[in-house]
Amino acid sequence: LRQLVAWGAAGAMVFGGVVPYIPQYRHIRRSQNAEGFSTYVCLVLLVANILRILFWFGRRFESPLLWQSIIMIFTMLLMLKLCTEVRVSNELNIKRRSFAAADSKDEEIKAPPKRSYLDFDLNYFWHWSKFTDYVQCVLTFTGVTGYITYLWLDSSLFVEALGFLAVFTEAMLGVPQLYHNYQNRSTEGMSVKMVLMWTSGDTFKTVYFILNQAPFQFSICGLLQVFVDIAILLQVYLYSYYPQKPVSHTVHPASTKAL
């Protein structure tokens, strides 16, 4: 019985992180509207899980946590693919934005654009028009951080700092959604089921870290993540029972609106 419970807990750790995004994915696919979901959530999780995998090479932790990171990366890429397709299909502005900026003259004559990573435009970061641009960004980040990790893998200080950075980044998972809701003064379009699953999953995960004596970085940042989840649930209550009029603000040319 004890072994079955251990296997169940490990399975929950591997796949439990993916479950909260199922209702949000279905909602976006059904409504063809991704405005209520911040794709910066995907960015945070991609960075956090890539760093966690690199941390594993320096300090071997529980294998379910490693598999959780791998599966989460693929899940976030699927979310990004859907959100990008939906946003582009609903976007009136025909101008295309890329990870590596294109030459405007090439666009005018409709020739294949000349692209260079030196043309990267920070104003349009994570607001690109093709899913392949997000993949290129993720691969570039993985390659750079992987190379740095390879060079400093023998440094225990670097490895511990990498582990803390990985779990701290994941702890900030809910912050983009928290800020997005605050900007809109509404939680419309955001799946409440997703946030409830975040809260229950993060609580379970934190307890799992403590009981299995995972690196201390995991437990501390797990608690922080639970507090952020609770803050988002408070927003749901506040904006549902005390609707607030959106505050008018100037829109940046690059569009400050979350995807």
Side-chain angles (χ1 to χ4, degrees):
L1 180 60
R2 186 174 182 179
Q3 188 65 37
L4 288 175
V5 172
W7 287 345
M13 281 300 302
V14 173
F15 299 102
V18 175
V19 174
Y21 298 96
I22 295 177
Q24 184 68 68
Y25 185 93
R26 294 179 61 186
H27 175 77
I28 295 173
R29 192 176 183 86
R30 182 176 61 253
S31 64
Q32 289 298 297
N33 187 346
E35 293 296 325
F37 176 73
S38 173
T39 53
Y40 284 105
V41 170
C42 300
L43 173 61
V44 170
L45 278 175
L46 285 169
V47 170
N49 285 283
I50 290 171
L51 293 179
R52 184 194 285 183
I53 292 174
L54 295 176
F55 176 54
W56 182 84
F57 287 99
R59 183 176 176 183
R60 303 299 173 89
F61 48 78
E62 293 282 331
S63 57
L65 299 179
L66 177 63
W67 282 107
Q68 180 198 48
S69 295
I70 295 173
I71 292 175
M72 183 61 73
I73 289 173
F74 283 105
T75 302
M76 289 302 101
L77 290 175
L78 286 175
M79 287 292 296
L80 276 175
K81 187 175 187 297
L82 175 64
C83 290
T84 304
E85 291 174 349
V86 169
R87 181 181 60 80
V88 171
S89 65
N90 295 334
E91 195 175 48
L92 297 178
N93 184 5
I94 61 174
K95 183 176 180 180
R96 292 295 179 253
R97 303 163 186 166
S98 303
F99 174 54
D103 186 355
S104 60
K105 293 182 180 179
D106 291 333
E107 288 181 349
E108 291 176 1
I109 62 176
K110 297 183 180 180
K114 298 176 182 178
R115 302 176 64 181
S116 168
Y117 288 104
L118 297 177
D119 297 328
F120 175 73
D121 191 343
L122 188 61
N123 292 326
Y124 298 116
F125 180 75
W126 216 248
H127 291 279
W128 303 310
S129 302
K130 291 183 178 180
F131 173 66
T132 52
D133 290 299
Y134 293 94
V135 175
Q136 289 178 23
C137 180
V138 171
L139 291 177
T140 301
F141 175 79
T142 303
V144 172
T145 53
Y147 180 69
I148 295 174
T149 302
Y150 173 76
L151 294 178
W152 290 87
L153 198 59
D154 293 332
S155 171
S156 58
L157 180 61
F158 173 82
V159 171
E160 292 299 328
L162 181 65
F164 178 78
L165 184 60
V167 292
F168 180 75
T169 303
E170 186 176 359
M172 295 294 102
L173 162 65
V175 173
Q177 190 65 53
L178 186 74
Y179 181 68
H180 181 66
N181 296 340
Y182 173 76
Q183 276 189 315
N184 294 341
R185 300 294 193 273
S186 171
T187 57
E188 184 178 356
M190 181 196 74
S191 173
V192 179
K193 291 180 180 178
M194 177 185 70
V195 182
L196 288 172
M197 290 180 182
W198 274 357
T199 308
S200 58
D202 291 338
T203 302
F204 170 81
K205 181 171 62 178
T206 303
V207 173
Y208 181 89
F209 290 156
I210 295 173
L211 294 180
N212 286 273
Q213 298 180 346
F216 74 97
Q217 300 101 319
F218 286 59
S219 301
I220 294 174
C221 293
L223 290 171
L224 179 59
Q225 201 167 351
V226 173
F227 290 142
V228 174
D229 296 339
I230 293 174
I232 297 177
L233 291 176
L234 289 176
Q235 282 184 324
V236 174
Y237 172 80
L238 179 65
Y239 296 144
S240 297
Y241 291 94
Y242 304 97
Q244 300 183 29
K245 191 174 182 180
V247 178
S248 59
H249 57 280
T250 304
V251 179
H252 191 276
S255 179
T256 57
K257 184 169 56 177
L259 300 185

